[in-house]
Each structure stands twice: as C-alpha cells, then as structure tokens.
Amino acid sequence: MKFLYKILLWTIIITAAAFGLSGYFFVNYVFETALEREINQTLDDSYILQFAFETAALNVPTKYNVLQDIAVKQIGANLENSAQGNSRLLRLSNEDKKPLYASNNFLDDTALLEQMKEGTRSWQVVRRGDRYYIHTGIMVNALDRNLYLEVQEDITEVFEERTTGFSVYRRVTLAMLAICTVVMFLICTWLTKPIRLLTRATKKMAEGDYSYRARHISNDELGQLTRGFNSMANVLEDTIGELQEAVRSREDFIAAFAHELKTPLTSIIGYADLLRSRKLDEEKHFLCSNYIYTEGKRLESMSFRLLDIIVTKREKIELQPVSVEVLFRYLKDMFEENVEQRLEISFDPGTIYAEVNLLKSVLLNLVDNACKASAAGAAVEISGRSLENGYSFQVRDFGVGIPEEELKKVTEAFYMVDKSRSRSKNGAGLGLALCVEVLRLHHSTLEIESRVGEGTVTSFVIPGREAV
C-alpha cells in the first residue's frame, strides 16, 4: 500500500473513532440528562399525588375511623382522571401489598413494590414492548392506614430521542468522514509530493540518468531529505564519472600497452626471421642485430617502468635524510656524455627526507623528457630551491612544448603527445606516470606548465619532515 493511502486510511480510522466516541458520549449525556429530569419530575409528581391522596382521604365521609377499600379505589380513580390526558398510570396497594386499585395497562410488576419501605421512595425504569416507563413508589399514610402508591409515566419519547440522536449523528459522521476523506486526500497528496518526486528521481537514476535531480519544494524534514538525496546524487554522479574515466583509462592503457608491445615485437620477429632465413653481408647483419637489440632494450625499459609503477602503487616507503647534492651529482654523471643538450644545473644546499632511488628515477625521467623535447644544442635547466616548508625541484626545457588540452593526459600510462618522436627516441609514455606515483608516496604532486613552441617546466616540492 502506498504511503499516501496509509496516511489517508489511518486518518479516516482515527477520525471515525473520534466522531463515534464523541457522538456516543454526547448523545448519551443528553439522554441521561433528559432521563434524570423525567425521573425527578415523576418523583415530584409522586409527592404531589401522595399529598392529594392524603387530603382526599381526610375529606371522605366515613362511619369508621379506618379508610375503607372502596374509598381508596374512589380516590385512585379521581387521581387518575385528574391527569387530564397525561400518560400517568396509578396503582394503590394495601398493607399486605395487595392491589386495591390499578389503572388500565398498568404494568404488573411487583419488584418495586416488594422493595418499598416506610420513609423511602423508590424508582425504576421498566419496558413493555417498545414503550418505556418510569415506575416510582411511595408509602401513603391515611386514617391510620399505610398504603402503597405506585406511579408509572411513559418516557418513551426520551428513548426515541436518543435513538433519533444516534441516527442523526451517524449521518452527520458519515458526511463529515466523506468531507474529511476528500480534504485529507488533498492534504496527503500535497504532503507526500516530495516523496513522489524522490521516488521518480530514484527510478530515473536506476535507469542510468545520473544527472536527474529531485525537485526541492519544501523546507521541512522532507525538504531536507530532498537536499540530502540531491547531494548524495551529486557525489554518486561524480563517483560514477570517475569510475567510467578509470575504466576508459584502463581500456586505453591495455590498448596502448598492446600496441607498444606489438610494434617492437613485430620488428624483432621480422629482423630475426631475416637473419635466420637469409645470409646477409656483415653490414646488414649488424644493422639487423642492432635493431633487434635496440627494440629489445626498449621492451626491457618499458617492462621495468611498468613494474616500478605497480610497485609504487602498492608499497609504502621509508623516508631517509638525503643531501640534495647527491641527487644533482647523479644527474650530472648520468647526462655527462649527452652532447646534444646543455645541462645547466643550479641548486641550494639542503637535506630532504625521501627514498633516494625512487627520487633519482623521477629526476632522471623529467630530465630525459626535457632532452627529448629539445632541439640539438638547446639548454635544459635543472634547479633546486630551499623553501620554508620543503625543497623545490624544477626542470625547464625550451623545446616543442605541450598543447594545453594535452596537459591533463601526459601523466597517463602510455600517453604520448608526439608518438613518432617518442618512439624514435625509445619512449613508451610511462615516465611521467611513474613520476606521479613516486611523488604520491612522497606526499607531493607533479606540476607541469607548458606553451607550444616555448618549452615546458616541470616541478615538484618535497615537503619538510614536519609537514609529512
């Protein structure tokens, strides 16, 4: 059952119970008030009849000092006739509680008579068929006789009014329930609208539309829930976007890796087959062997770098104090025989906390990329600066530069801006990807600034020990 119908159903049930109970108590209160009024009226009539009977008994001529039964009957008849159309019924009984006079249709009920005592007045409500009567009893003293006077008055009208009251109230209750149902349906529809909007949003997102958001229409708890849902949807959309990007990157990585393997392997297999199947002169034999060796070294370099990337993603490193002079001396030694570029090295003395071999790999890759991007004879600047919160390394070249739209992709594995240039210099597009992972372990990031035709600046900061 929908939440809307649950609210509506329980509202109707509670409203019906409230109307029913309040109507029952209200009608009963009116009935009991009217009944009590009738009872008091009948008791008052009993006193009046008692006084009238005793007065009439004193005025009856008699030869004896005791009131005769025939006189009692006569007085009873006169009292009944004096009712003037009232629905009053009388019964007079002697000392032995034997009836001396009774009105026609007087209910033959002796239960009240048996309970009557001197100085008390009794009453009860009796029913005959569909009629109701108040039956009262009182003792009368006349000429040394103790007689019992009973009065019955028809109060059916009071009970009929109660029945009518219940009937009217039922109709009013049904009408009010119908009106309340319509009003509560509209109210519940309005109150649950945010829930329906959220349900629609979840269905849209389940169908793959992660950009869909629930419309915010209130500032209550449901409005807060809508805002929370939309915030969650934003995070979910970003996460799914990242996952899709990760999947795309992985697919690109696999495709690029397969392609990078295919090219040197095809050359190696082709030249090896040529050496195997033909007898070549010494020069051609050397060229084929050299090409096989070069491509093999390229595969070896690519394998080592891939292994380094995998290792750096899984391992934690132990940082040790390292003098920056060791790093710059290592770069100078490594590129000492490079006659195509001029390495200009300048640095501030200092000590950093790092894993020295991994950091050497980062600097080596950055300088190697700068050399590959530079023209013959161009300068490559390598500098180190001591900062308040760490030590900054920077490599600048004045080569071809990187287009702005390519900057975010150059750190992806196997991504190369100029594939022909990279392959001609045994590049595989793994150097910067390895640098990013190594610097991540050192709590640092690689910054790249470049302009096409002007060159590229790569830099990173190794934080001080207190900042790690």
Side-chain angles (χ1 to χ4, degrees), residues 35 70 122 148 216 223 287 322 347 363 369 425 453-454 465:
L35 182 61
I70 190 170
S122 305
Y148 298 94
H216 183 261
L287 290 175
V322 180
F347 62 93
L363 292 170
N369 285 344
K425 298 189 177 182
E454 296 183 12
R465 187 172 189 179

Side-chain angles (χ1 to χ4, degrees), residues 276-318:
R276 184 190 65 172
S277 60
R278 297 184 183 180
K279 188 173 183 180
L280 304 175
D281 57 42
E282 185 175 350
E283 182 180 358
K284 290 184 178 179
H285 189 279
F286 175 77
L287 290 175
C288 291
S289 301
N290 184 66
Y291 199 89
I292 292 172
Y293 175 80
T294 302
E295 293 299 303
K297 292 296 289 183
R298 183 180 170 209
L299 283 176
E300 180 186 43
S301 175
M302 182 170 60
S303 300
F304 284 153
R305 289 189 175 182
L306 273 175
L307 183 61
D308 288 340
I309 291 175
I310 294 172
V311 169
T312 54
K313 283 186 176 182
R314 294 181 179 178
E315 288 188 353
K316 292 183 178 180
I317 60 173
E318 184 176 351

Side-chain angles (χ1 to χ4, degrees), residues 162-177:
R162 182 178 67 167
T163 303
T164 303
F166 280 130
S167 177
V168 171
Y169 202 85
R170 278 195 298 269
R171 290 195 292 269
V172 172
T173 300
L174 292 176
M176 292 300 296
L177 283 177

